[in-house]
Amino acid sequence: MVTIKGIAKEAGVSVGTVSKVLNYDRTVTVKNRNKVIEAIKKLNYRPNRLARSLSKGKTKNVGFIIPDISNPFFPELVRGASDLLLSEGYYVFLCNSDNDPNKEDMYINDLTSMWIDGLIIAPSDTENRDIGIFKQILLPFVVVDREIKGLNKDLVIINNKKGAYEAVVHLINKGHKKIAILTGPKYAQTAQYRYAGWKKAMEENSLFDDKLVFWGKFSIDSGYNMMREVFKSLGKVDAVFTCNDLIALGAMQAIEENKFTISDGISIVGFDDIYLSKFLKPPLTTVKQPTYEMGKTAAKLLLERMENIKECLPRKIVVEGKLIVRSSVAQKT
């Protein structure tokens, strides 16, 4: 049986150096690290992570629950978190709740019973959520992207209201007045805040009308169906503000099916700036979220909690979005 001592002897380094390499300690020199890695490969060493967890009282495992793995926003969020966590020697277990609070509860119970060190949650329902299960979580955890009403825990979110407000002001400054909003579900605070930003901009310019509001889901199909409902109930509008880029994708298809051109006929703005947005025809004007950095920030907060670097009250970090102007918005003449 290959041991750490055997690795050290083969590499010509101390047992302590081998231990540091196995624990991702970045103080080891590149030369010594390479020696240890080569010795590990040569001897086909496989560390027993369970035994190491038992001896150290840490598993080096972190859970991450997201609501919709098909939405390109969330994989990028996970990538930001997992890149940082992996650099610190942590592995990430990813779970997809499908925006189902019951499935989310199941994952919380399963992950916390599997002996993980910490948890990151991008929750599903945030308005009507029973927060009892979150209060029962004894290990460190961070909430990201969606704020849970009534829960006071470490949180990383974007300034949704401000981002939406700036997007709609951009449309208004381009001469658009009849601006519909296609938003997500009412139970999601992201949808509520983005609606509030749209409403503020419309009210300030005496353009607000409840008939311009369409609630749905953060999906392409929902965007398509909501845009068809816009045509059915309102006819042609000047512009559309969509509360994420997937909704915008569906809305753009419905606009084209109704023989309108995007930008020259009906302008459209999204929210997120997913990778595909700049490749659409026309490229989508949208509010860019620093998704990768949000994930990385959530992981940093979790690491501080798990490593006990800082003992402090729950922190709320609000990041700012940026309006990315492309050609899906035209000047109204």
Side-chain angles (χ1 to χ4, degrees):
M1 179 179 175
V2 181
T3 64
I4 291 180
K5 288 182 179 179
I7 298 294
K9 183 178 179 180
E10 177 67 30
V13 298
S14 69
V15 171
T17 297
V18 176
S19 180
K20 286 181 179 180
V21 172
L22 292 174
N23 286 284
Y24 302 91
D25 190 321
R26 288 173 287 185
T27 63
V28 181
T29 65
V30 174
K31 181 179 179 180
N32 284 340
R33 183 182 300 276
N34 289 338
K35 284 182 179 180
V36 172
I37 291 172
E38 287 302 315
I40 288 172
K41 290 179 180 177
K42 182 178 179 180
L43 299 176
N44 196 29
Y45 174 68
R46 295 290 185 270
N48 189 327
R49 296 189 70 230
L50 178 58
R52 189 167 63 184
S53 298
L54 288 168
S55 67
K56 295 194 173 197
K58 286 189 176 183
T59 66
K60 287 289 188 174
N61 295 329
V62 168
F64 200 138
I65 304 174
I66 60 173
D68 184 6
I69 200 168
S70 66
N71 184 335
F73 171 84
F74 292 107
E76 184 68 3
L77 190 73
V78 173
R79 191 170 74 88
S82 60
D83 281 355
L84 179 60
L85 288 165
L86 185 60
S87 73
E88 298 294 332
Y90 287 86
Y91 290 81
V92 177
F93 288 88
L94 179 62
C95 299
N96 175 49
S97 72
D98 288 320
N99 280 301
D100 183 345
N102 292 323
K103 188 179 287 188
E104 190 172 84
D105 286 354
M106 178 191 71
Y107 284 136
I108 291 172
N109 285 326
D110 286 350
L111 286 169
T112 53
S113 67
M114 285 170 57
W115 201 20
I116 58 173
D117 295 335
L119 183 64
I120 301 175
I121 305 172
S124 51
D125 190 330
T126 57
E127 282 289 296
N128 308 303
R129 192 71 164 91
D130 181 359
I131 63 173
I133 191 168
F134 296 102
K135 291 184 176 180
Q136 295 172 11
I137 301 174
L138 301 179
L139 50 81
F141 76 94
V142 176
V143 178
V144 64
D145 180 53
R146 300 176 177 181
E147 185 174 3
I148 301 172
K149 190 174 182 179
L151 184 67
N152 186 27
K153 288 290 183 178
D154 287 330
L155 173 69
V156 181
I157 57 169
I158 192 171
N159 193 334
N160 287 289
K161 184 175 180 180
K162 183 180 177 183
Y165 174 81
E166 291 177 349
V168 179
V169 167
H170 175 69
L171 287 169
I172 294 170
N173 288 341
K174 289 291 185 178
H176 302 292
K177 295 182 179 180
K178 193 176 182 182
I179 304 169
I181 177 173
L182 311 185
T183 187
K186 289 185 177 181
Y187 61 71
Q189 281 203 351
T190 46
Q192 292 285 353
Y193 286 140
R194 291 171 194 177
Y195 163 75
W198 170 87
K199 184 178 181 181
K200 179 184 177 185
M202 297 292 280
E203 285 181 338
E204 286 180 353
N205 291 275
S206 301
L207 299 174
F208 175 76
D209 186 343
D210 268 333
K211 294 179 181 178
L212 294 167
V213 183
F214 296 82
W215 294 92
K217 297 179 180 179
F218 288 124
S219 69
I220 295 174
D221 287 344
S222 184
Y224 175 79
N225 291 329
M226 284 189 284
M227 194 67 222
R228 290 186 64 185
E229 187 61 32
V230 169
F231 288 125
K232 182 179 178 180
S233 58
L234 300 177
K236 183 179 181 296
V237 294
D238 295 338
V240 183
F241 169 59
T242 65
C243 285
N244 82 347
D245 288 356
L246 294 183
I247 294 175
L249 287 173
M252 291 170 80
Q253 182 178 346
I255 290 170
E256 291 175 351
E257 286 182 1
N258 278 269
K259 309 303 181 184
F260 292 109
T261 58
I262 296 165
S263 75
D264 288 340
I266 298 175
S267 289
I268 186 167
V269 176
F271 203 111
D272 282 346
D273 194 31
I274 61 175
Y275 180 73
L276 292 173
S277 298
K278 60 185 175 184
F279 298 109
L280 298 175
K281 295 187 181 299
L284 182 66
T285 294
T286 185
V287 179
K288 181 179 181 63
Q289 294 203 65
T291 314
Y292 182 90
E293 291 301 320
M294 287 173 65
K296 191 174 179 180
T297 300
K300 183 179 179 182
L301 286 179
L302 186 64
L303 283 168
E304 290 177 357
R305 293 298 190 193
M306 292 189 300
E307 303 290 343
N308 294 316
I309 294 174
K310 293 181 180 179
E311 289 292 340
C312 58
L313 294 173
R315 286 156 292 178
K316 180 178 180 178
I317 297 177
V318 181
V319 299
E320 299 296 335
K322 180 182 179 182
L323 183 65
I324 305 299
V325 178
R326 300 191 180 107
S327 51
S328 66
V329 176
Q331 179 70 47
K332 186 173 175 60
T333 56

